[in-house]
Amino acid sequence: MTPEMTTDWLAAHRERLDGALTAIRSRGYYSAYPESPSPRVYGETAAEDGKAAFEAHRGTTYPLETPGATGTVSSEESPYGVALDVQYPRTTESGLDELLGAAQAGLKDWRKAGVDGRVGVTLEILDRLHKRVFELANAVQHTSGQAFVMAFQAGGAHALDRALEAIAYSYEEMNRYPATAIWEKPAKGDPIRLEKNFTVTGRGVALVIGCNTFPTWNSWPGLFASLVTGNAVVVKPHPLAVLPLAITVEVAREVLAEAGLDPNLVTLAAEHPGDGLAKPLALRPEIKVIDFTGGTEFGDWLEQNATQAEVFTEKAGVNAVIVDSTDSFKALCNNLAFTLSLYSGQMCTTTQNLFVPADGIETDEGHKSFDEVGAGLARSIGKLLGDDARAVELLGGIVNQAVVSRLELAGEYGEVVLESRAIQHPAYADAVVRTPLLVAVDAKDEDVFGRECFGPVSFLVRTSGTAESIELFRRTVQEGGAMTAGVYSTDETILDEVRDAALDVGVALSENLTGQVFVNQSAAFSDFHGTGANPAANATYTDGAYVASRFRVIQSRRHA
């Protein structure tokens, strides 16, 4: 190990770390990585170079080594119809002994690197990932179906911010206690004096189980929180979204090796879609921390069965907006139209249920009936997505056939307010692009809207009034969880009631959003993503609780 190098890296990135530390305390705006892919920001050739780097991966064997791997696997299918054909080392259950043994081999030196050393290494990894942000954006686009700009922002710049946020929280928590202390107890004669040392020690090996829709944004916080706190990390990507995490692992191993550390502190465990590697891997006694994003069924299974590990899960949820009244009906409709359209509703934060009184709502344009509210929203979506070339840059592609199947069935659940339509992508003829579907249902149809229908499907729920809307909101979040909630009302009493309801069921609330901020967007360093207080997630990105249980403080003492 070369302590000088890790110290130099910390010094080189100190300003960025200090900015993040200030931001997590103030909760004000901060971004360390520019979100605009403009040539004025990144240079004239950056986009072209990044695209070329992505294209160079296609049809090749990715240059990674995974201990215990057997042969290779190629499992990715671009939602845009682009052939990827990248081969990765294939990990199977029979290779786990070798993989986890290799992951453990470097833990002692990683612990000896100390807090500053590990922070320096992880900040350098982020810096090098930033240098490859256009390559990563293309990889995210062609595995998740996100449009390019969203892939650049959410999969690149914002994901880097979330990773930095996790490092900043870890830095604070690891420095909560002094490294050394002199303990002196008064006694007859000379006092009793002890020298005590307190060493931050990782739990062991951490496992990151990636998702298809946000392979970097959802994986990097846990990956970097575990790594910086002294753990080795095994990254098991979703079989349909391997490349963004393969790039991540490659960069991490490169930096670790340059620091004289074991590159096997970070490994990629790619699998064939039918291998079912996650379960046996998650139950291994070496695995002490697990981060998972995905379906409720497997998330619940991890929480109930991987009892040897600290398990952090983000699962399905039923996000809702309560519509009571507004002082800007047009802006309300436009804001919600963007929310429902962004990435074809394939975000864990997208609104599914819109609770609207059957008698309608009061607006700046006069009273609007239930049907008029639906029609207004439909018009806004139609206007937003009226130009196909513009629409595809907002909608992106449908990530997999399961989303299409849900979309095709959802129209049977109630009265269709807005049909979903197929759009021909001007650049990718084989891309599957769909606009949002709006379906009106009654409050009694809780078996329909009370469960997640992931994708471009939203329900206008006809309630007897705002009181029932609030009650349905409470019940669906308590039972099914939610990552986000919203309310539109000009009545402060109603706003107070919804605030209390959101606090009671543990979900983040947005009130009267009518501008360029949307309920499904989350800002690093300021917004908490998830709360850990309802069934949709048992943790939040990012706070002290998210990082503190990933390490332990072990003491030694001797007479001074």
Side-chain angles (χ1 to χ4, degrees):
M1 182 177 63
T2 55
E4 297 82 7
M5 181 173 289
T6 60
T7 302
D8 289 346
W9 283 335
L10 178 58
H13 306 304
R14 186 79 216 192
E15 183 177 351
R16 185 171 283 164
L17 175 63
D18 288 344
L21 291 168
T22 299
I24 63 174
R25 296 166 190 150
S26 70
R27 313 309 298 178
Y29 173 78
Y30 177 70
S31 180
Y33 305 94
E35 67 176 3
S36 171
S38 168
R40 294 189 299 274
V41 177
Y42 284 94
E44 291 297 328
T45 66
E48 183 180 338
D49 294 344
K51 181 68 177 292
F54 162 74
E55 293 289 347
H57 291 302
R58 296 173 59 193
T60 68
T61 298
Y62 202 92
L64 273 179
E65 294 183 9
T66 298
T70 304
T72 60
V73 61
S74 178
S75 56
E76 293 161 304
E77 300 174 2
S78 169
Y80 290 96
V82 174
L84 299 180
D85 299 325
V86 185
Q87 300 283 335
Y88 305 96
R90 181 182 181 184
T91 299
T92 62
E93 189 173 355
S94 64
L96 293 185
D97 285 346
E98 186 174 345
L99 171 64
L100 295 174
Q104 291 176 308
L107 286 173
K108 184 177 181 179
D109 284 343
W110 192 222
R111 181 176 69 238
K112 287 182 177 179
V115 171
D116 285 356
R118 291 194 298 273
V119 171
V121 167
T122 52
L123 291 175
E124 177 66 15
I125 294 171
L126 291 189
D127 190 67
R128 297 192 191 185
L129 287 171
H130 188 219
K131 288 179 172 64
R132 296 175 69 169
V133 67
F134 281 92
E135 177 188 357
L136 280 162
N138 281 277
V140 170
Q141 177 185 13
H142 287 287
T143 53
S144 72
Q146 295 175 32
F148 177 77
V149 172
M150 182 176 183
F152 183 91
Q153 293 177 342
H158 297 170
L160 287 164
D161 275 340
R162 281 296 187 190
L164 176 60
E165 182 181 25
I167 292 171
Y169 272 102
S170 300
Y171 182 84
E172 283 217 325
E173 292 296 327
M174 290 188 294
N175 281 300
R176 185 176 293 276
Y177 312 104
T180 62
I182 298 296
W183 182 84
E184 187 171 287
K185 179 181 179 180
K188 292 182 179 179
D190 294 333
I192 302 170
R193 300 179 78 249
L194 292 176
E195 177 187 329
K196 300 185 179 185
N197 296 89
F198 305 94
T199 303
V200 172
T201 304
R203 301 287 301 279
V205 182
L207 170 64
V208 174
I209 303 174
C211 69
N212 193 176
T213 49
F214 288 87
T216 53
W217 198 98
N218 276 110
S219 295
W220 284 358
L223 192 166
F224 283 94
S226 287
L227 187 63
V228 77
T229 52
N231 303 281
V233 182
V234 174
V235 179
K236 195 215 78 66
H238 190 287
L240 297 179
V242 183
L243 184 55
L245 292 179
I247 295 170
T248 305
V249 170
E250 177 192 12
V251 172
R253 291 171 63 85
E254 172 188 278
V255 173
L256 287 164
E258 286 184 24
L261 294 157
D262 191 336
N264 289 326
L265 286 165
V266 180
T267 51
L268 184 79
E271 62 171 335
H272 186 276
D275 287 348
L277 182 64
K279 280 191 175 182
L281 187 51
L283 294 180
R284 290 285 300 218
E286 301 94 332
I287 299 296
K288 300 300 183 183
V289 180
I290 299 174
D291 287 276
F292 167 77
T293 300
T296 296
E297 182 179 359
F298 189 62
D300 289 345
W301 184 90
L302 286 170
E303 292 172 6
Q304 295 161 11
N305 292 277
T307 55
Q308 86 289 350
E310 290 285 338
V311 179
F312 301 91
T313 60
E314 181 191 314
K315 301 172 287 189
V318 186
N319 305 315
V321 167
I322 295 168
V323 182
D324 170 74
S325 56
T326 182
D327 59 6
S328 181
F329 182 69
K330 181 180 179 180
L332 176 154
C333 291
N334 289 343
N335 189 277
L336 288 175
F338 186 93
T339 291
L340 302 186
S341 301
L342 184 61
Y343 187 31
S344 300
Q346 298 172 120
M347 301 173 68
C348 61
T349 51
T350 300
T351 301
Q352 175 178 296
N353 298 331
L354 295 143
F355 294 115
V356 181
D359 291 339
I361 65 172
E362 298 302 322
T363 81
D364 59 316
E365 299 177 11
H367 183 82
K368 296 288 185 181
S369 68
F370 177 90
D371 290 343
E372 287 173 327
V373 172
L377 182 54
R379 279 195 304 273
S380 288
I381 293 173
K383 183 177 180 181
L384 179 67
L385 304 178
D387 178 78
D388 287 359
R390 177 188 175 192
V392 297
E393 297 305 321
L394 182 62
L395 294 166
I398 299 297
V399 69
N400 55 49
Q401 182 57 40
V403 176
V404 176
S405 298
R406 280 191 295 271
L407 174 61
E408 291 174 346
L409 288 173
E412 301 175 5
Y413 296 147
E415 176 190 349
V416 174
V417 176
L418 178 66
E419 293 275 7
S420 174
R421 67 183 181 92
I423 293 179
Q424 182 68 46
H425 199 294
Y428 301 101
D430 295 327
V432 179
V433 184
R434 296 288 187 273
T435 62
L437 172 73
L438 293 182
V439 180
V441 297
D442 293 325
K444 63 180 177 59
D445 299 324
E446 201 166 338
D447 60 325
V448 172
F449 64 80
R451 53 189 169 86
E452 185 183 58
C453 188
F454 184 77
V457 179
S458 291
F459 299 107
L460 287 166
V461 184
R462 187 185 288 106
T463 70
S464 61
T466 299
E468 185 177 32
S469 296
I470 296 172
E471 177 55 33
L472 287 171
F473 162 66
R474 281 181 179 272
R475 190 157 65 241
T476 53
V477 176
Q478 284 174 334
E479 296 176 1
M483 298 296 291
T484 62
V487 60
Y488 288 91
S489 181
T490 58
D491 186 332
E492 286 296 331
T493 301
I494 295 296
L495 293 175
D496 286 341
E497 290 179 12
V498 178
R499 286 184 201 120
D500 282 341
L503 290 169
D504 290 342
V505 298
V507 63
L509 179 67
S510 296
E511 302 174 17
N512 292 322
L513 295 184
T514 53
Q516 295 304 304
V517 175
F518 306 93
V519 67
N520 51 339
Q521 294 177 321
S522 176
F525 307 105
S526 185
D527 293 324
F528 293 111
H529 175 71
T531 64
N534 70 67
N538 71 356
T540 184
Y541 299 171
T542 310
D543 63 1
Y546 185 70
V547 302
S549 59
R550 298 171 191 263
F551 67 91
R552 294 291 183 259
V553 179
I554 310 299
Q555 76 170 49
S556 62
R557 59 186 182 176
R558 64 201 60 79
H559 286 292

